[in-house]
Amino acid sequence: GSVYVGGEFLDAGGVAAADYITRWDGSSFNAVGTPNTGTASIVYIWAMTFDQAGNLYVGGFFTNFADIANADYIARWSTSNNNWNALSTGADTVVRALAVGQDNTLYLGGSFTIIGGVSATSIASWNGSTFSALGSGLNTTVNAIAISQNNIVYAAGVFQASGSTTVRFVASWNGVTWSALGDGLSDTGWSLAIGADNFLYVSGQFTTAGGIVLADRIAKWNGYSWAHLDIDLPGSSIAYAILASKFTDPVIKQKYNLFLGFDTTGTGTYAGKTVVNNEGNVSVFPQVVYFRSGGTSAIIETLRNERTGKELLFDYRLLSGESLIIDLTPTKQSITSSFFGARLDAVLPNSD
């Protein structure tokens, strides 16, 4: 139940040894060992994660953490004996991302090329005793790592290639090879999160994902295509952090919360809700009509059933005067444009 905080601070809460990392127990800050002592040289802690045994891993810009030789850029706090430990011989430069997989494997990302004496470019894994490279790695800095429920490793950052494979700022590792996620992003990815429905969310400095122009620098990957989020943050924000909660509804499995950190203030907007009542006693299905009248643009992004959590994903730009009619009757499901006729292609892949 404690909260651990890492960064570039000293003496958190006035506690002399609470440097760069501290534990909040609900009422006060506490030191976590004595990281800043002896030969330790610390600039900041950038990433933190727990493994399934409750051990805490920290990555960042430091050497000889807690005066421990080889505790360079990565270190572990063992809850069993309350001591800091090195992981092999550490890394050769900054670790920026940490995540633990379903099998308790630790994945590390950053700017390193050597870790634990192993050649591994920007990303590696730790099985509790040795480091391993993930194929050819990624050609430059990894800022974030997330691991799906089926143990797919996702990375985001500044990189644009893995060996000869183009992977623009975001990529996936299936245990054997790195793969692109569509056409990737247009700029740096800063943070990743896996939703309770196994969708991947990415935030950063990009303005397009898979060619889709975004109102904000946040997008979701549904396994087949990129899609918008149904929000518009204030201004031209850079979204530095994103977190997905567990399910919030035991029946409607698609319902969960997203938490976002970004660098603007002001008023944002989110998708509206329309309640449709069936006042008869026979099952009916809605027909949804979108119509644009004037204006500079109108983009249909998401149509969601809040009772079931099912959603249709779009990136459809209505022309002025155009209607898009979506008929959800099971026997005659259709999407039709008043200008162009049938437009089933308006729906993005992997929609419900």
Side-chain angles (χ1 to χ4, degrees), residues 5-18:
V5 183
E8 50 186 326
F9 52 83
L10 299 174
D11 300 341
V15 178

PDB file of all heavy atoms in Angstrom, residues 5-18:
ATOM      1  N   VAL A   5       8.340   6.926  -4.891  1.00  0.00           N
ATOM      2  CA  VAL A   5       8.548   8.059  -5.794  1.00  0.00           C
ATOM      3  C   VAL A   5      10.026   8.141  -6.137  1.00  0.00           C
ATOM      4  O   VAL A   5      10.881   8.111  -5.238  1.00  0.00           O
ATOM      5  CB  VAL A   5       8.108   9.385  -5.137  1.00  0.00           C
ATOM      6  CG1 VAL A   5       8.258  10.544  -6.122  1.00  0.00           C
ATOM      7  CG2 VAL A   5       6.676   9.286  -4.638  1.00  0.00           C
ATOM      8  N   GLY A   6      10.337   8.243  -7.419  1.00  0.00           N
ATOM      9  CA  GLY A   6      11.714   8.430  -7.855  1.00  0.00           C
ATOM     10  C   GLY A   6      11.842   9.711  -8.647  1.00  0.00           C
ATOM     11  O   GLY A   6      10.878  10.178  -9.247  1.00  0.00           O
ATOM     12  N   GLY A   7      13.032  10.291  -8.660  1.00  0.00           N
ATOM     13  CA  GLY A   7      13.240  11.534  -9.409  1.00  0.00           C
ATOM     14  C   GLY A   7      14.634  12.077  -9.202  1.00  0.00           C
ATOM     15  O   GLY A   7      15.610  11.319  -9.154  1.00  0.00           O
ATOM     16  N   GLU A   8      14.740  13.410  -9.056  1.00  0.00           N
ATOM     17  CA  GLU A   8      16.051  14.027  -8.858  1.00  0.00           C
ATOM     18  C   GLU A   8      16.061  14.940  -7.635  1.00  0.00           C
ATOM     19  O   GLU A   8      16.751  15.952  -7.589  1.00  0.00           O
ATOM     20  CB  GLU A   8      16.490  14.777 -10.111  1.00  0.00           C
ATOM     21  CG  GLU A   8      15.463  15.729 -10.692  1.00  0.00           C
ATOM     22  CD  GLU A   8      15.924  16.320 -12.029  1.00  0.00           C
ATOM     23  OE1 GLU A   8      17.142  16.541 -12.170  1.00  0.00           O
ATOM     24  OE2 GLU A   8      15.082  16.549 -12.894  1.00  0.00           O
ATOM     25  N   PHE A   9      15.292  14.561  -6.605  1.00  0.00           N
ATOM     26  CA  PHE A   9      15.164  15.345  -5.381  1.00  0.00           C
ATOM     27  C   PHE A   9      16.129  14.855  -4.296  1.00  0.00           C
ATOM     28  O   PHE A   9      16.670  13.744  -4.382  1.00  0.00           O
ATOM     29  CB  PHE A   9      13.725  15.257  -4.864  1.00  0.00           C
ATOM     30  CG  PHE A   9      13.226  13.843  -4.721  1.00  0.00           C
ATOM     31  CD1 PHE A   9      13.510  13.088  -3.597  1.00  0.00           C
ATOM     32  CD2 PHE A   9      12.468  13.257  -5.734  1.00  0.00           C
ATOM     33  CE1 PHE A   9      13.060  11.779  -3.480  1.00  0.00           C
ATOM     34  CE2 PHE A   9      12.012  11.948  -5.619  1.00  0.00           C
ATOM     35  CZ  PHE A   9      12.312  11.210  -4.493  1.00  0.00           C
ATOM     36  N   LEU A  10      16.296  15.674  -3.288  1.00  0.00           N
ATOM     37  CA  LEU A  10      17.073  15.325  -2.098  1.00  0.00           C
ATOM     38  C   LEU A  10      16.210  15.536  -0.856  1.00  0.00           C
ATOM     39  O   LEU A  10      15.351  16.412  -0.827  1.00  0.00           O
ATOM     40  CB  LEU A  10      18.340  16.183  -1.987  1.00  0.00           C
ATOM     41  CG  LEU A  10      19.358  16.075  -3.133  1.00  0.00           C
ATOM     42  CD1 LEU A  10      20.472  17.097  -2.928  1.00  0.00           C
ATOM     43  CD2 LEU A  10      19.930  14.670  -3.220  1.00  0.00           C
ATOM     44  N   ASP A  11      16.432  14.721   0.152  1.00  0.00           N
ATOM     45  CA  ASP A  11      15.821  14.906   1.491  1.00  0.00           C
ATOM     46  C   ASP A  11      14.297  15.052   1.427  1.00  0.00           C
ATOM     47  O   ASP A  11      13.720  15.998   1.972  1.00  0.00           O
ATOM     48  CB  ASP A  11      16.427  16.132   2.185  1.00  0.00           C
ATOM     49  CG  ASP A  11      17.923  16.008   2.386  1.00  0.00           C
ATOM     50  OD1 ASP A  11      18.431  14.878   2.340  1.00  0.00           O
ATOM     51  OD2 ASP A  11      18.577  17.046   2.578  1.00  0.00           O
ATOM     52  N   ALA A  12      13.626  14.123   0.777  1.00  0.00           N
ATOM     53  CA  ALA A  12      12.160  14.183   0.703  1.00  0.00           C
ATOM     54  C   ALA A  12      11.563  14.210   2.103  1.00  0.00           C
ATOM     55  O   ALA A  12      11.935  13.412   2.969  1.00  0.00           O
ATOM     56  CB  ALA A  12      11.630  12.987  -0.065  1.00  0.00           C
ATOM     57  N   GLY A  13      10.643  15.142   2.335  1.00  0.00           N
ATOM     58  CA  GLY A  13       9.989  15.252   3.632  1.00  0.00           C
ATOM     59  C   GLY A  13      10.941  15.602   4.756  1.00  0.00           C
ATOM     60  O   GLY A  13      10.628  15.383   5.934  1.00  0.00           O
ATOM     61  N   GLY A  14      12.128  16.122   4.415  1.00  0.00           N
ATOM     62  CA  GLY A  14      13.116  16.454   5.433  1.00  0.00           C
ATOM     63  C   GLY A  14      13.906  15.264   5.938  1.00  0.00           C
ATOM     64  O   GLY A  14      14.694  15.386   6.883  1.00  0.00           O
ATOM     65  N   VAL A  15      13.729  14.103   5.304  1.00  0.00           N
ATOM     66  CA  VAL A  15      14.453  12.894   5.715  1.00  0.00           C
ATOM     67  C   VAL A  15      15.798  12.869   4.995  1.00  0.00           C
ATOM     68  O   VAL A  15      15.860  12.851   3.762  1.00  0.00           O
ATOM     69  CB  VAL A  15      13.643  11.630   5.383  1.00  0.00           C
ATOM     70  CG1 VAL A  15      14.412  10.373   5.771  1.00  0.00           C
ATOM     71  CG2 VAL A  15      12.293  11.677   6.084  1.00  0.00           C
ATOM     72  N   ALA A  16      16.874  12.842   5.762  1.00  0.00           N
ATOM     73  CA  ALA A  16      18.216  13.030   5.211  1.00  0.00           C
ATOM     74  C   ALA A  16      18.590  12.002   4.145  1.00  0.00           C
ATOM     75  O   ALA A  16      19.234  12.327   3.156  1.00  0.00           O
ATOM     76  CB  ALA A  16      19.244  12.994   6.335  1.00  0.00           C
ATOM     77  N   ALA A  17      18.196  10.742   4.298  1.00  0.00           N
ATOM     78  CA  ALA A  17      18.596   9.704   3.347  1.00  0.00           C
ATOM     79  C   ALA A  17      17.590   9.497   2.222  1.00  0.00           C
ATOM     80  O   ALA A  17      17.806   8.651   1.362  1.00  0.00           O
ATOM     81  CB  ALA A  17      18.825   8.389   4.087  1.00  0.00           C
ATOM     82  N   ALA A  18      16.491  10.257   2.216  1.00  0.00           N
ATOM     83  CA  ALA A  18      15.453  10.091   1.187  1.00  0.00           C
ATOM     84  C   ALA A  18      15.839  10.883  -0.055  1.00  0.00           C
ATOM     85  O   ALA A  18      15.218  11.879  -0.421  1.00  0.00           O
ATOM     86  CB  ALA A  18      14.096  10.532   1.724  1.00  0.00           C
TER      87      ALA A  18
END
